């Protein structure tokens, strides 16, 4: 089968997914076109120009199926390359444009939301990495259409719901590394993007309080950072210096895997998470998770490992996180003896049959 795969904003998790997809379903012939993950607003509107004009010859080749990420402006692209409209098409939603937490004074981008809605309407199958992602997209689409003044055709959300299915981003085999030795103080990992939607202020405030009360812990702050880093990171580097063992992005995958295999606890305070790959890969390596009781975490992380969620009450949420962390700091050995969280169901071995079945059904028109 000849498959065209388009990734219009090839962020790290998108790249990871499509590379593994091609590698694990190597019985098919893949043609992959991507665009670098920068200039978000321009990518969301300009990707069809690049794909449709600069790459038209490749896109117009005979294919059996099209897989595209939801960032692709598929409705416009089909106008530039009409041949694509004849292909059975699956749209993969790593995230959706309706559920991003907005900063103070920031307004939702109507244009980006409509573009993703039009792309979804072009898809024969809509794939979501979590029920939270699917449900928030459908709810957001419904609210957006209900706010329009007139000429909204009926049944759009139901039409999208009928095409939607869940198919998570799988974890590679290398994520399931042999567990290393853990000893000494509680070892905490923060392995998320250094951005406001991960609510780092809440995480560090909890650690500030623990440190001030004399609790022992080792801290590893890794993850990807960008040009604009929330100020709390620099504050934390100074105030938690005696606890810090790792600081900054680990370019070596091997070093990162080794860290996860020897750390005790991976912590999240995220306000925005559609699957939570950073937490899940740490869990696969043997870390115990500590995450807020919200977002996609409810689907993948058992309730005992979720603390109280108060997204609109930061102080109350920090208090809940401190309470959980205090117990682990007092008795890290008890945490280490606890049963690990099983995420084998998210491995490629477990999920590859679902991807194969999707492609077969897509081409058959089922």
């Amino acid at each position: 089968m000849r498959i065209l795969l388009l990734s219009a904003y090839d962020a790290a998790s998108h790249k990871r997914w499509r590379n593994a997809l091609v590698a694990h379903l190597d019985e098919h012939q893949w043609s992959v076109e991507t665009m670098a993950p920068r200039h978000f607003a321009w990518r969301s509107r300009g990707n069809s120009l690049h794909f449709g004009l600069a790459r038209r010859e490749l896109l117009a080749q005979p294919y059996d199926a099209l897989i595209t990420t939801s960032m692709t402006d598929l409705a416009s692209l089909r106008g530039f390359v009409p041949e694509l409209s004849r292909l059975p098409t699956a749209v993969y939603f790593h995230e959706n444009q309706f559920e991003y937490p907005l900063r103070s004074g920031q307004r939702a981008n109507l244009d980006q939301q409509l573009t993703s809605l039009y792309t979804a309407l072009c898809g024969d199958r809509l794939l979501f990495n979590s029920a939270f992602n699917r449900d928030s997209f459908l709810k957001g689409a419904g609210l957006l259409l209900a706010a329009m003044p007139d000429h909204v055709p009926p049944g759009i959300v139901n039409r999208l719901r009928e095409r939607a299915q869940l198919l998570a981003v799988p974890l590679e085999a290398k994520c399931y590394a042999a567990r290393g030795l853990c000893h000494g103080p509680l070892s905490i990992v923060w392995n998320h993007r250094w951005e406001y939607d991960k609510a780092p202020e809440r995480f560090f405030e909890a650690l500030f309080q623990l440190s001030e009360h004399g609790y022992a812990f080792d801290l590893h702050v890794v993850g990807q950072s960008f040009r604009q880093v929330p100020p709390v990171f620099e504050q934390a580097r100074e105030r938690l210096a005696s606890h810090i063992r790792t600081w900054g992005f680990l370019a070596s995958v091997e070093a990162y895997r080794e860290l996860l295999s020897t750390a005790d606890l991976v912590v999240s305070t995220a306000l925005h998470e559609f699957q939570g790959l950073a937490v899940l890969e740490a869990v696969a390596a043997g870390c115990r998770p500590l995450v807020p009781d919200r977002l996609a975490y409810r689907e993948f992380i058992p309730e005992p490992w979720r603390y109280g969620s108060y997204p609109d009450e930061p102080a109350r949420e920090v208090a809940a996180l401190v309470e959980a962390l205090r117990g682990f700091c007092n008795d890290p050995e008890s945490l280490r003896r606890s049963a690990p969280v099983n995420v084998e169901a998210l491995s490629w071995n477990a999920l590859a049959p679902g991807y194969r079945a999707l492609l077969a059904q897509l081409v058959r028109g089922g």
Side-chain angles (χ1 to χ4, degrees), residues 7-8 10 27 42 47 57 75-76 83 89 123 157 166 185 192 222 237 243 260 281-283 291 323 346-347 354:
S7 180
D10 205 37
E27 66 269 28
W42 167 233
N47 65 76
E57 184 176 350
S76 297
E83 292 88 345
T89 299
V157 174
L166 302 183
H192 312 278
V222 292
R237 192 171 190 178
H243 299 278
L260 295 184
E281 65 181 352
V283 171
V291 301
E323 182 64 25
L346 293 172
S347 70

Side-chain angles (χ1 to χ4, degrees), residues 11-322:
S13 60
H14 299 207
K15 181 178 181 179
R16 173 180 179 173
W17 167 78
R18 52 99 175 161
N19 278 339
L21 187 63
V22 171
H24 283 83
L25 277 63
D26 58 358
E27 66 269 28
H28 302 298
Q29 182 180 346
W30 296 86
S31 293
V32 180
E33 287 292 316
T34 69
M35 297 183 73
R38 54 178 180 262
H39 313 305
F40 184 85
W42 167 233
R43 282 289 179 275
S44 68
R45 290 302 291 136
N47 65 76
S48 59
L49 282 175
H50 170 73
F51 285 145
L53 300 182
R55 307 301 292 165
R56 191 190 190 290
E57 184 176 350
L58 184 142
L59 268 62
Q61 297 296 313
Y63 296 101
D64 299 300
L66 168 64
I67 298 179
T68 180
T69 60
S70 60
M71 275 290 294
T72 305
D73 181 6
L74 189 54
S76 297
L77 184 56
R78 282 181 165 184
F80 291 124
V81 189
E83 292 88 345
L84 295 179
S85 63
R86 296 193 286 270
L87 297 180
T89 299
V91 179
Y92 197 94
F93 284 78
H94 292 271
E95 64 282 305
N96 73 72
Q97 300 304 314
F98 295 101
E99 193 58 32
Y100 281 101
L102 300 176
R103 300 177 187 177
S104 178
Q106 185 180 16
R107 299 180 64 182
N109 190 306
L110 177 63
D111 189 63
Q112 291 171 0
Q113 292 177 346
L114 282 171
T115 298
S116 67
L117 175 59
Y118 297 159
T119 291
L121 288 167
C122 291
D124 300 294
R125 292 294 180 93
L126 309 180
L127 310 178
F128 293 86
N129 53 2
S130 68
F132 169 74
N133 190 4
R134 176 199 62 198
D135 296 345
S136 60
F137 173 78
L138 293 173
K139 178 182 178 181
L143 292 172
L144 174 65
L145 293 171
M148 296 298 103
D150 59 10
H151 294 295
V152 176
I156 289 179
V157 174
N158 286 337
R159 180 178 177 182
L160 297 175
R161 182 178 290 109
E162 290 169 358
R163 300 178 184 184
Q165 71 180 82
L166 302 183
L167 202 52
V169 174
L171 299 175
E172 302 91 338
K174 62 186 178 184
C175 291
Y176 299 87
R179 187 68 175 153
L181 294 176
C182 305
H183 54 81
L186 179 72
S187 178
I188 300 172
V189 172
W190 165 281
N191 61 342
H192 312 278
R193 285 183 289 103
W194 294 20
E195 293 190 294
Y196 82 99
D197 61 307
K198 302 305 179 185
E201 295 82 3
R202 303 183 187 205
F203 172 68
F204 287 123
E205 176 58 31
L207 297 190
F208 293 158
Q209 293 184 26
L210 290 174
S211 181
E212 289 167 1
H213 285 85
Y215 287 92
F217 58 89
D218 290 340
L219 177 61
H220 305 272
V221 179
V222 292
Q224 190 176 13
S225 61
F226 303 90
R227 285 181 296 178
Q228 293 185 337
V229 174
V232 71
F233 281 92
E234 190 56 37
Q235 299 166 17
R237 192 171 190 178
E238 295 177 5
R239 294 180 62 179
L240 299 173
S242 63
H243 299 278
I244 293 172
R245 303 293 175 265
T246 310
W247 187 269
F249 180 72
L250 292 177
S252 166
V253 175
E254 292 74 19
Y256 177 63
R257 300 289 178 208
E258 183 178 358
L259 170 62
L260 295 184
S261 72
T262 56
D264 294 311
L265 193 68
V266 59
V267 179
S268 172
T269 46
L271 298 170
H272 156 241
E273 200 67 84
F274 292 106
Q275 183 174 343
L277 284 173
V279 166
L280 292 172
E281 65 181 352
V283 171
C287 288
R288 288 4 177 220
L290 186 58
V291 301
D293 186 21
R294 58 172 173 257
L295 311 173
Y297 292 132
R298 290 179 172 177
E299 299 168 55
F300 300 111
I301 304 300
E303 185 177 1
W305 300 103
R306 305 195 304 259
Y307 60 89
S309 170
Y310 307 101
D312 298 323
E313 300 178 73
R316 187 179 181 189
E317 183 162 293
V318 167
L321 177 56
V322 168

